[in-house]
Amino acid sequence: RVEEAYKEINQQKKIVEIKNHDITDSINYARNIQQSIVPSKSGLEEFLSESFIYYRVKDIVSGDFYWYHKHDDELVIAAVDCTGHGVPGALLSMIGVTLLKQTVDIQGIHQPDKILANLQKEITSFLHRGSNDGMDIALCSVNLNKMTLSFAGAMLRIVMIRNGLVEEIKGDRFPISRNTPMNTVFTNHIIPLKKDDAIYMFTDGYYDQFGGPKQKKFMYKNLEKLLLGINR
């Protein structure tokens, strides 16, 4: 009986290993699809030479993503955090990229608050049957000829380092989701840029990470200190 039980356990173990291998292969392929719809990191440097993108996926696929689009003298750029992690978040990210491309590329909407308002209207046509999922987003439009930056946010903020000081520009306190009214008006912040200003966009994925000897959360205040430290 012990031998029979041992054989059965081994058989079940092999079945689990095969299924796990198949699922992992499938998710790895999904990662390739997800990466193919996000713009390349290097393309951003063609417009903003002193720019960078730090994008490190926690799971194989991600609910966080970045996106940008250049139009004439303007660059529209977004940092987005979709509901959920892994596969559920990645599915929503595909919707997010689709809506951004449709709004900015096809409909020609470039003002950040108007972009978010259109995303809010469109999200209801993608998510049916009472889904509460959606996305938090920080979205900027940069014009280097006019030296201006426009920002609108849904639950997310941006940080500006100017003259050794941190200035936080907060987005509105509602996400892009079916729970947010369709006719919601978002706030558009217009910021005149100065030489040596540093602007940072991010999701909570950076400062919510656990690490260090005591496996503690990094925290937002430490992110501010880090950004100040590299801009001295």
Side-chain angles (χ1 to χ4, degrees), residues 34-39 41 53-57 61-68 77-84 88-101 119 123 134-139 156 176 201-205:
Q34 186 181 34
Q35 290 177 345
S36 71
I37 68 168
V38 176
K41 295 179 183 180
I53 296 172
Y54 181 78
Y55 182 60
R56 186 172 180 178
V57 177
V61 289
S62 175
D64 288 12
F65 70 94
Y66 66 89
W67 185 85
Y68 63 84
I77 182 168
V80 189
D81 179 1
C82 296
T83 307
L91 288 173
L92 278 171
S93 78
M94 304 290 278
I95 295 174
V97 171
T98 300
L99 292 182
L100 281 167
K101 287 177 69 67
L119 293 180
I123 197 74
M135 63 191 83
D136 301 340
I137 178 169
L139 196 144
L156 294 184
I176 304 295
M201 308 170 64
F202 45 84
T203 68
D204 61 6

Side-chain angles (χ1 to χ4, degrees), residues 206-218:
Y206 194 99
Y207 56 83
D208 275 354
Q209 288 300 309
F210 290 87
K214 297 183 179 179
Q215 282 296 305
K216 287 189 174 181
K217 191 180 286 189
F218 187 62

Side-chain angles (χ1 to χ4, degrees), residues 24-42:
T24 302
D25 281 351
S26 179
I27 296 174
N28 279 325
Y29 193 81
R31 175 182 56 188
N32 296 335
I33 296 172
Q34 186 181 34
Q35 290 177 345
S36 71
I37 68 168
V38 176
S40 69
K41 295 179 183 180
S42 59

Side-chain angles (χ1 to χ4, degrees), residues 40-207:
S40 69
K41 295 179 183 180
S42 59
L44 184 63
E45 295 173 2
E46 295 175 10
F47 187 78
L48 297 172
S49 58
E50 295 186 33
S51 63
F52 73 94
I53 296 172
Y54 181 78
Y55 182 60
R56 186 172 180 178
V57 177
K58 181 176 180 290
D59 301 310
I60 299 172
V61 289
S62 175
D64 288 12
F65 70 94
Y66 66 89
W67 185 85
Y68 63 84
H69 172 77
K70 187 179 181 300
H71 174 75
D72 294 334
D73 295 329
E74 281 190 316
L75 177 77
V76 176
I77 182 168
V80 189
D81 179 1
C82 296
T83 307
H85 301 280
V87 174
L91 288 173
L92 278 171
S93 78
M94 304 290 278
I95 295 174
V97 171
T98 300
L99 292 182
L100 281 167
K101 287 177 69 67
Q102 178 178 303
T103 300
V104 179
D105 295 9
I106 299 174
Q107 294 180 251
I109 302 172
H110 300 113
Q111 188 170 308
D113 60 320
K114 304 298 184 187
I115 294 172
L116 296 191
N118 195 68
L119 293 180
Q120 178 54 42
K121 290 177 182 177
E122 295 292 342
I123 197 74
T124 56
S125 67
F126 277 83
L127 301 177
H128 302 291
R129 294 182 293 280
S131 172
N132 297 328
D133 297 315
M135 63 191 83
D136 301 340
I137 178 169
L139 196 144
C140 291
S141 176
V142 185
N143 190 312
L144 292 183
N145 287 335
K146 296 180 180 178
M147 286 296 286
T148 58
L149 180 145
S150 299
F151 162 72
M155 298 298 290
L156 294 184
R157 71 196 102 186
I158 61 171
V159 164
M160 179 171 68
I161 310 293
R162 174 179 286 176
N163 299 326
L165 298 173
V166 176
E167 184 176 345
E168 183 183 79
I169 301 97
K170 293 184 177 180
D172 294 299
R173 295 297 299 170
F174 28 77
I176 304 295
S177 78
R178 286 182 61 88
N179 281 351
T180 301
M182 185 180 290
N183 59 349
T184 293
V185 176
F186 292 87
T187 307
N188 197 54
H189 305 266
I190 300 176
I191 304 163
L193 295 173
K194 296 182 180 181
K195 188 176 182 296
D196 298 325
D197 284 347
I199 309 294
Y200 294 91
M201 308 170 64
F202 45 84
T203 68
D204 61 6
Y206 194 99
Y207 56 83

